[in-house]
Structure formats: structure tokens, C-alpha cells
Amino acid sequence: MIWDLHCHLSGVAGQTPGERIARLLDYADRMGVERLCFFMGMQWSTDPTPDDFRRENDEVLEAISGHPNRCYGFVYLNPKHEQESLDELERCIANGPMVGVKLWTAERCSEQSLDALVRRAGELKALIYQHTWLKVGGNLAGESTPTDIAILAARHPEVSLVCGHTGGDWERGIRAVRNSPNVSVGIGGSDPTAGMVEMAVRELGAERVIYGSDIGGRSFASQLGKVYGAEIRPTDRTQILGGNLKRLLTPIFRDKGYAL
Amino acid sequence: MTEVPVTDVPVIDVNVYLSQWPFRRLPLDDTPRLVAKLRERGVTQAWAGSFEALLHEDLGSVNTRLAEECRTHGGERLLPMGSVNPVLPDWEEQLRRCHEDLGMQGIRLHPNFHGYGLQSPACIELLEQATARGMLVQIAVQLEDPRTQHPLMQVPAVDVSPLTSLLAENPQLQELRLILLNSQRSVRLPLLGELAQKGKVFVDIATQEGVGGVEKLIQSVPVERILFGSFSPFFYFEAAELKLRESPLGGALRRAIASDNAAPLVARIHSTPPPN
Ligand SMILES: [Zn+2]
């Protein structure tokens, strides 16, 4: 059972969200990926206006609408536009089919401006995916590090958070979130560098490590290769490939009546 | 699936390394364990460079150790790719030893770690001499994601753009067989395609990314110039292996990339006669 935490409507031809997701699912079929979470639209904005994120979310809603019980949406928000983001959360999750939240690089996630969003997402049992990186040449102004997500996690110990990309520089990222039990690491969207998954399992436990690809910029192959190639127990592999994501999404799937 | 089925075609992996990466231990940076992995995954031959070559200056001993390590643990499975640094004194002798004393069929260059450009006279001279000897030349364009490099050791990718004019204009390089390893992060696919037109230039798939990545590569680079390279043990071997499944290639193309394209580039090895 493979569930993919981290997919985008990119990397394939297609004029509409529906055309793109259909092509992406051909590859998913070939790689044995059963369920996929999508976020952000056909064109991305690093610091989206409310109109931008509504359009991107509309595209995800359109894409997943033809694939119930297989494709799910995470709502893309910008904490700089707090009320509009709260409204979008209601539209897409409380009153819509989405099951998670995506936050990218508009604002560092340690900022207080995230608190209302995170609290409401927690009430809705939505899973929050926060992009993080640690770039040796310097991050973008609003780009979070794993340390930022550890700070956020301490303020919201009851909300499940995903540290996106494991911080990119995973040897630091894993250490930064080790002491935050409500933070899992998303291993997708980086080179398939050997040792990454082993260290994450060793330091965090397999139950806090989640497979995702970051298609279409990355391949299923390179990111699945991290899990298949890692020297870990078969039970760890099963958890990382899908068990953990299923566990974290189970409460909201139950509320929405989605098949598990 | 909890294990990856072995690829249904024999594999020649043109991009592996022995010894240790300077900045971390890798799960398979021990030659017997790497060889066991390659054997398990159906790799019939792997072309191996040495991580020691990145920072060591005594490349003579690096190359001797590499050849010895291949012979001891690889049998006919490991083909050593020696290292030559044309910026250092007496490099011509290092090349000669690789070829004549150690029987190497190719060399692997790291111009970014060694601090020279491909247009430099020393590099051109090295390429000419390797060509005259009939040796393959591999250029490792980039090893680590530049965003995660050690703060005191930020190594830019090799600039391959000088190759376009070099290959087109230098008659002594017409027979050069050049393999660009780990090229796709920094080199755009159209330039790789142009290089493949200008000379006998090949690329591996270790850093080819994107959904259906190999399909995308084929749109720019002729399929007969695409080779299987895993960049293991730095990368998980399965990452490259699964790329052959992700793109719908069909048996013939998969076989071409997995091994048929690479096989004619090296002579059969007759180092030790098989035991009776
Ligand atoms: Zn992404």
C-alpha cells in the first residue's frame, strides 16, 4: 500500500487540471501508488494573494473531483492574509472535500500569524504540510526551517504537522524536530541520498517518517527509491510508504465518510 | 510491493564510487557490501571511481587502491575508472599508469573539485591524450545538491558549455567517448542534446528527475546515448532502477539504456582466466 503525501499538478502536459492529473495517475499506476495528496495549482506563487490561492485551490478541487477515494487535496494558504486564509480553510475543508493544509514560503511558520490557522486546522483534524529547507546559501525571506516548525509544534502540541523535505539538509532537519512528537518528516522532494531514511527512522522512529514524491518536479522513482533502498525493517517500510499517512488522515477521513 | 522486483534486463551501472564520501558514511561505502547490492539488483558490471579522488593529491595511490579494490572484491563486475588531475605536476604519468600499469579503460574527472575549466589548455591536453589512448572519459558534473553542501566546501557544478565548440572544432577529439555523469541538475536538456550531436557524448540517468524523467530525457538526447548510472552508494541504487519502470519504455529501449548502450564502450575484460 503506497500513499503519496506530496504531489503537484506539474511536470506533464495538459491544458486543464483534469488532463494533468489523468497523466500523472498513469505514472502512479505504473509505480503502484494507490492514493495521492495534491496541493497548489497549475502556476505557483511563493507569496500568493487571496485571489492566487483561491485559484490554485480551485484547480486542485477540479483535478481531484474525478478521482474520489484516490486523490485528495490540501488547501494552499498564506498566513499573511489571515482572515482570507481562515475563510479558505472553511471553504475547502469544513465545507469542501480537502483533508489537509499546505504552507509554503510566504511566511516563516514560527510566526504568531499562523496560530489561528493551525488551531482551526486542528479542530477540523486536517494534516498540515509545511515546506521547510535549510539552504547553505540562505533561505528565502519567508522560508521556514525545521527549527521554525519545532517552535510552531510546541505551541500546538495536539496538531499533526509535517516538516516538508525533512528540511532538505536532513542531517540537521531530523535533529531539529526530534523533540517534537507531533511533527513527522516528509521525505519527498530532495535527492535520493543514501542514509536519509535510515537516520530518520533511527532518530524519530519509523512512525514519524512519511513517503511523498513531490511529483512532477521529482520522480516517483527517485523518491520511492529512498524507501526501497533504505536498510530498514520491512514493517518500517510499510509504515513509511503509506501506513503513517493513513493513520494521520484517518480522523478526517472518518468525519468525511471517506473509504479507508 | 514491499521489495522492488529485479529489473528484467542485465544492467551496466556506469556511475558508482568506492571508498568514503568525505562528509558522511554511506550505508554501502564498503566495497563487499556494495558489490553484494549490485549483484542482488542484477548489475553485471559497474564502472567505479573513487571518492578519495575528490580531495587527495596523491592520485597515484588512489588509483592503485581503486584498481586493487575492484580486483579483490569485484572480480569482473567492477571496472575501475582512474582519476587524473591535469592541474597537478606529472599528470601525464598518472594517465599512463592508469592505462598501461593498471589496465584501466577509462578515467573519471572532477574538474570542479580539482579547480579547472573544460576550456583550459591542461584539460584539453588531457582529453586529447586520453582519446589517443582510446580511453573513455567520464566527467562528474556535480555530486551533491549545492544547497546542502558543507559551508566551507561549496563546489559549483562543472560548466560543460565549452564542450560545444571544443568537440566541434578540435579534430583530435573526434574519437573522444565522453560520458557526463550527474549532469541534469545543472545542464539543460537541450544543451545535452546539442552535445550529443557534436560528439560521442553520453549521459547517465542518476540525476534525471521529473515524473517520467527518462521519457523526457529521450526527447532531447538520442536514446543510444543514454546510459544507466545510479551514483550509488551516494544515492540509493533503487532510485535509478525504478526510473526504468516509471517511464513506459518497452523492452528494447529499456535494454538499450540498462546495458546495450554501455557494453560496446568497454572491451571485455580478460584479467583472470575463469577457473576450470
Ligand atoms: Zn512540493
Side-chain angles (χ1 to χ4, degrees):
Chain A
M1 181 190 77
I2 304 175
W3 288 27
D4 194 319
L5 167 70
H6 185 173
C7 302
H8 302 292
L9 299 169
S10 65
V12 287
Q15 297 298 310
T16 66
E19 286 173 23
R20 289 198 186 176
I21 202 167
R23 291 211 165 88
L24 292 168
L25 289 176
D26 285 342
Y27 293 103
D29 288 341
R30 203 169 291 117
M31 303 307 283
V33 178
E34 287 175 26
R35 305 202 196 191
L36 307 89
C37 297
F38 283 87
F39 29 88
M40 310 206 300
M42 312 259 285
Q43 278 190 334
W44 301 349
S45 167
T46 54
D47 186 5
T49 65
D51 280 345
D52 289 335
F53 61 64
R54 284 183 208 118
R55 174 189 51 77
E56 294 200 42
N57 292 327
D58 279 341
E59 288 169 353
V60 171
L61 288 167
E62 188 184 330
I64 64 173
S65 65
H67 307 277
N69 298 322
R70 179 157 202 205
C71 297
Y72 307 91
F74 280 33
V75 60
Y76 182 35
L77 303 175
N78 182 346
K80 282 182 177 165
H81 305 285
E82 188 179 6
Q83 188 53 51
E84 291 90 339
S85 289
L86 283 165
D87 293 345
E88 188 69 349
L89 200 51
E90 295 303 304
R91 178 176 83 99
C92 294
I93 299 184
N95 304 312
M98 291 195 180
V99 296
V101 173
K102 163 68 190 270
L103 296 165
W104 199 20
T105 56
E107 179 128 86
R108 289 177 79 145
C109 67
S110 51
E111 297 290 333
Q112 311 272 340
S113 55
L114 270 80
D115 285 340
L117 291 176
V118 172
R119 215 173 296 120
R120 182 62 183 140
E123 288 167 8
L124 295 169
K125 302 169 192 166
L127 180 60
I128 299 178
Y129 179 99
Q130 170 67 60
H131 165 100
T132 69
W133 253 93
L134 278 161
K135 297 170 178 164
V136 68
N139 278 17
L140 301 170
E143 189 168 29
S144 301
T145 67
T147 300
D148 287 314
I149 204 170
I151 293 168
L152 178 70
R155 293 207 302 268
H156 301 275
E158 71 294 346
V159 180
S160 295
L161 303 169
V162 177
C163 174
H165 305 280
T166 317
D169 188 339
W170 44 271
E171 286 165 311
R172 294 180 184 215
I174 290 167
R175 292 172 57 166
V177 301
R178 189 186 59 79
N179 215 10
S180 309
N182 54 323
V183 177
S184 300
V185 292
I187 60 170
S190 62
D191 282 352
T193 307
M196 174 194 199
V197 173
E198 288 91 334
M199 180 179 172
V201 168
R202 185 188 81 216
E203 294 292 334
L204 308 177
E207 65 279 5
R208 286 172 59 193
V209 182
I210 301 178
Y211 159 75
S213 58
D214 205 3
I215 58 157
R218 293 280 177 176
S219 56
F220 287 114
S222 64
Q223 307 303 306
L224 283 171
K226 291 177 181 175
V227 190
Y228 286 122
E231 303 198 325
I232 52 178
R233 296 176 305 176
T235 50
D236 296 339
R237 189 162 302 157
T238 308
Q239 277 184 289
I240 295 168
L241 286 175
N244 293 330
L245 182 55
K246 180 178 179 180
R247 183 188 77 242
L248 291 171
L249 290 177
T250 290
I252 195 167
F253 273 34
R254 287 235 168 88
D255 280 4
K256 290 185 175 297
Y258 292 168
L260 276 161
Chain B
M1 102 184 155
T2 54
E3 305 291 334
V4 183
V6 173
T7 307
D8 56 351
V9 291
V11 174
I12 295 178
D13 188 340
V14 305
N15 184 7
V16 308
Y17 279 82
L18 305 187
S19 78
Q20 291 177 11
W21 173 246
F23 302 98
R24 74 171 65 90
R25 292 301 304 268
L26 302 164
L28 296 178
D29 65 10
D30 169 63
T31 308
R33 299 189 64 211
L34 178 65
V35 168
K37 175 71 160 196
L38 296 172
R39 186 181 292 127
E40 172 200 315
R41 303 315 307 170
V43 174
T44 55
Q45 193 180 83
W47 304 355
S50 172
F51 281 134
E52 288 180 345
L54 305 179
L55 300 177
H56 290 216
E57 295 206 323
D58 179 10
L59 293 179
S61 69
V62 168
N63 290 330
T64 304
R65 273 195 298 281
L66 175 66
E68 178 65 24
E69 192 79 354
C70 287
R71 204 167 28 245
T72 306
H73 300 290
E76 300 202 343
R77 203 177 297 267
L78 290 179
L79 241 61
M81 294 283 143
S83 288
V84 178
N85 179 351
V87 174
L88 297 183
D90 204 28
W91 65 262
E92 295 92 337
E93 169 64 9
Q94 301 295 333
L95 180 68
R96 188 201 66 74
R97 289 184 197 172
C98 283
H99 187 217
E100 297 176 16
D101 298 349
L102 300 173
M104 291 176 173
Q105 307 203 36
I107 51 175
R108 184 173 297 174
L109 305 182
H110 300 92
N112 47 353
F113 281 85
H114 292 169
Y116 61 91
L118 299 185
Q119 75 291 349
S120 66
C123 177
I124 294 169
E125 177 68 23
L126 170 57
L127 294 176
E128 289 173 356
Q129 288 198 23
T131 308
R133 289 178 177 276
M135 297 177 85
L136 276 172
V137 177
Q138 299 187 313
I139 295 176
V141 176
Q142 191 166 48
L143 299 185
E144 187 179 8
D145 184 331
R147 297 171 295 180
T148 62
Q149 291 177 347
H150 192 284
L152 298 180
M153 190 78 202
Q154 297 182 60
V155 184
V158 176
D159 177 11
V160 302
S161 60
L163 287 172
T164 23
S165 56
L166 212 54
L167 294 173
E169 292 158 16
N170 187 330
Q172 295 187 68
L173 297 182
Q174 269 180 10
E175 293 305 312
L176 169 66
R177 295 166 306 150
L178 182 66
I179 302 173
L180 300 177
L181 304 175
N182 296 354
S183 62
Q184 290 92 349
R185 183 200 302 282
S186 61
V187 188
R188 289 174 310 104
L189 294 187
L191 177 55
L192 290 179
E194 191 185 337
L195 290 171
Q197 282 186 341
K198 292 264 159 65
K200 293 177 180 157
V201 177
F202 298 77
V203 299
D204 82 329
I205 64 168
T207 55
Q208 177 61 44
E209 273 296 352
V211 68
V214 174
E215 260 177 297
K216 291 191 172 94
L217 184 59
I218 291 173
Q219 287 165 16
S220 293
V221 177
V223 67
E224 62 273 17
R225 298 297 182 83
I226 300 173
L227 308 176
F228 182 92
S230 71
F231 190 35
S232 59
F234 189 96
F235 282 177
Y236 291 113
F237 179 86
E238 285 81 352
E241 187 179 30
L242 286 166
K243 288 174 190 173
L244 296 183
R245 177 197 308 214
E246 180 164 333
S247 291
L249 299 171
L253 288 190
R254 196 161 61 248
R255 180 178 274 276
I257 293 169
S259 53
D260 284 359
N261 295 339
L265 295 175
V266 290
R268 288 213 158 274
I269 322 158
H270 298 295
S271 51
T272 44
N276 298 322

